[in-house]
Amino acid sequence: MMRQLFYGLLGGFVLPVMAETKSMPLNMTQGVTGVSQQVYSLHMTIFYICVAIGLVVFGVMFWAIIHHRKSRGAVAASFHESTRVELLWTLIPFVILILMAIPATKTLLAMEDTTQPDLTIQITGSQWKWHYRYFDEDVAFYSNLATSDAEINNERQKRGNYLLEVDHPLVVPVGQKIRFLMTSQDVIHSWWVPAFAVKKDANPGFINEAWTKIDEPGIYRGQCAELCGKSHGFMPIVVIAKPQAEYEEWLQTTKVAQREAREEEQRLLDMEMPMDELMAMGEKVYNTRCAVCHQANGQGLPGAFPALAGSAIATDPAKKLEHISVVVHGRNGTAMQAFGPQLSLKELAAVITYERNAWGNNTGDTVQAAEVQAVLKGEAL
């Protein structure tokens, strides 16, 4: 009877599970890097060992229950302890743990080997976006959630990559060793892309390292895996892996675009933008960057984020420079970020103008790029 039960369990459940583990949607992602394949292989090895241990332990237990039951006249042994048994149940688990530790150690060493990279990228987490900077290249940008508020508020049908899409994805080359240096501007974040087997905390004041070498071109998605605040669920990661030639083309195009944007900002310093243009751009910037805290109607969240509608800083002409400074430099000890490094001079001027003239504030003030530049350089305060 026990033998039939054992083979029934083995053939009806365990073997099908072991055969289907690679295609099971709840199983670990196999990934597209050498390290991710090692991690997957280690995961499956440990899984099979655990299955074998479970079969042996529960097999012996059920065999003992059935063959030594009272109805068959079994009499309990009277011995109190056995040195041999004590040694066996100490040594056997010890040997099993050693056998599990050997491949685990090899995989961990491979995951931590960030030496001799072909490319280094600094990743900085902030609430709630990622900043990427390519070492030895004049390229840096922020990556924000691209899912619309209408989808989040169930006013529009959700797309396939809901909450897993960004405005500026990280672009990397295939076949090169890429080192990531991770840190944070505020709280602890965690940069996690399952397909790379990379999950590393970004801690304020510290630099953590990770690396990857992607084998297949494609689009790979991840998320912040640390509870980093109210919008933790809106901090996705998108990585586009391109063949080397396509990556070089993207890199040169991005360099030129960012250089031209900086030159355009310098030209703006001698220009005065009209109110209607500032308000149109300011509303767009506010809704994508500020409304999550201060709300689209400017009323804020009582006890958490102050209202801008009717507030002194946004309506008092004497506080105009202070208003610019808060948006540009942030405010220490609060959730107000420094948007100076994140937005262009034109966007900063527009969003501050919008805040001073929306929701009935109607100050009539316009903020120009030159005024923002003066605050950035510390010349106006």
Side-chain angles (χ1 to χ4, degrees):
M1 179 181 175
M2 188 62 198
R3 183 178 299 176
Q4 291 175 342
L5 178 63
F6 172 78
Y7 285 119
L9 178 65
L10 183 66
F13 175 72
V14 177
L15 291 181
V17 167
M18 294 171 69
E20 293 295 328
T21 46
K22 287 191 176 183
S23 61
M24 285 175 63
L26 297 180
N27 197 21
M28 176 176 280
T29 300
Q30 292 193 47
V32 293
T33 68
V35 167
S36 67
Q37 292 295 327
Q38 289 185 50
V39 171
Y40 179 81
S41 177
L42 174 65
H43 161 72
M44 295 311 301
T45 299
I46 302 303
F47 171 74
Y48 292 140
I49 291 174
C50 291
V51 169
I53 292 172
L55 287 174
V56 170
V57 170
F58 284 100
V60 171
M61 183 181 72
F62 283 118
W63 178 87
I65 290 172
I66 292 170
H67 285 270
H68 296 283
R69 62 188 186 273
K70 185 178 180 180
S71 61
R72 297 191 61 176
V75 178
S78 59
F79 67 88
H80 181 264
E81 61 184 26
S82 169
T83 303
R84 182 177 299 176
V85 172
E86 295 273 1
L87 289 173
L88 281 175
W89 72 36
T90 301
L91 289 175
I92 292 175
F94 177 77
V95 171
I96 293 173
L97 288 174
I98 293 297
L99 294 176
M100 295 167 71
I102 292 172
T105 301
K106 290 180 179 179
T107 301
L108 286 172
L109 290 174
M111 293 175 70
E112 298 298 326
D113 181 17
T114 60
T115 59
Q116 298 180 333
D118 300 306
L119 172 66
T120 299
I121 299 173
Q122 179 179 314
I123 301 174
T124 304
S126 61
Q127 295 176 312
W128 287 271
K129 62 186 73 69
W130 299 100
H131 181 264
Y132 300 112
R133 182 169 73 89
Y134 292 67
F135 276 40
D136 302 322
E137 305 288 352
D138 195 18
V139 171
F141 54 86
Y142 281 87
S143 181
N144 295 275
L145 175 72
T147 300
S148 67
D149 290 337
E151 290 177 74
I152 295 173
N153 296 327
N154 294 317
E155 298 168 355
R156 177 180 168 186
Q157 186 175 359
K158 294 174 171 55
R159 294 180 289 184
N161 293 315
Y162 175 69
L163 296 185
L164 290 174
E165 49 194 351
V166 299
D167 53 0
H168 298 295
L170 177 65
V171 180
V172 296
V174 169
Q176 290 197 17
K177 184 173 184 178
I178 305 163
R179 179 178 62 165
F180 300 119
L181 301 179
M182 300 182 189
T183 188
S184 171
Q185 287 185 335
D186 36 54
V187 298
I188 299 175
H189 301 278
S190 185
W191 200 82
W192 175 47
V193 180
F196 303 163
V198 173
K199 180 179 179 292
K200 187 70 70 171
D201 280 355
N203 299 314
F206 294 89
I207 298 289
N208 284 332
E209 291 185 285
W211 72 278
T212 192
K213 185 176 182 181
I214 305 167
D215 298 329
E216 303 172 16
I219 300 176
Y220 305 102
R221 303 180 190 273
Q223 293 173 299
C224 175
E226 190 67 52
L227 293 175
C228 57
K230 65 177 287 291
S231 292
H232 159 70
F234 304 94
M235 196 173 173
I237 300 161
V238 178
V239 181
I240 300 179
K242 294 178 176 285
Q244 185 64 35
E246 294 182 21
Y247 167 75
E248 291 293 341
E249 181 181 354
W250 171 87
L251 187 63
Q252 295 307 316
T253 301
T254 305
K255 281 183 179 180
V256 171
Q258 292 193 356
R259 184 174 65 249
E260 290 177 347
R262 289 191 293 269
E263 293 171 355
E264 175 65 22
E265 283 201 333
Q266 294 306 306
R267 288 194 291 270
L268 277 174
L269 298 178
D270 299 323
M271 298 172 57
E272 185 164 318
M273 295 175 63
M275 172 71 81
D276 57 349
E277 184 179 349
L278 286 166
M279 288 295 289
M281 176 179 286
E283 182 178 14
K284 182 179 179 181
V285 174
Y286 180 87
N287 287 333
T288 56
R289 300 300 184 94
C290 311
V292 66
C293 294
H294 296 289
Q295 304 302 296
N297 58 9
Q299 296 299 321
L301 293 173
F305 305 106
L308 294 175
S311 67
I313 195 171
T315 57
D316 187 347
K319 292 182 177 291
K320 181 178 178 181
L321 287 179
E322 182 184 349
H323 189 180
I324 297 173
S325 179
V326 169
V327 175
V328 168
H329 298 301
R331 180 165 278 171
N332 292 334
T334 72
M336 180 62 193
Q337 304 175 42
F339 283 95
Q342 303 182 37
L343 301 174
S344 67
L345 293 177
K346 187 176 182 180
E347 289 172 324
L348 289 165
V351 74
I352 299 168
T353 298
Y354 177 77
E355 291 174 356
R356 299 185 68 79
N357 291 278
W359 321 299
N361 287 349
N362 300 330
T363 64
D365 292 342
T366 63
V367 177
Q368 301 297 329
E371 296 175 274
V372 176
Q373 177 80 332
V375 172
L376 275 168
K377 291 186 174 181
E379 298 172 355
L381 295 176

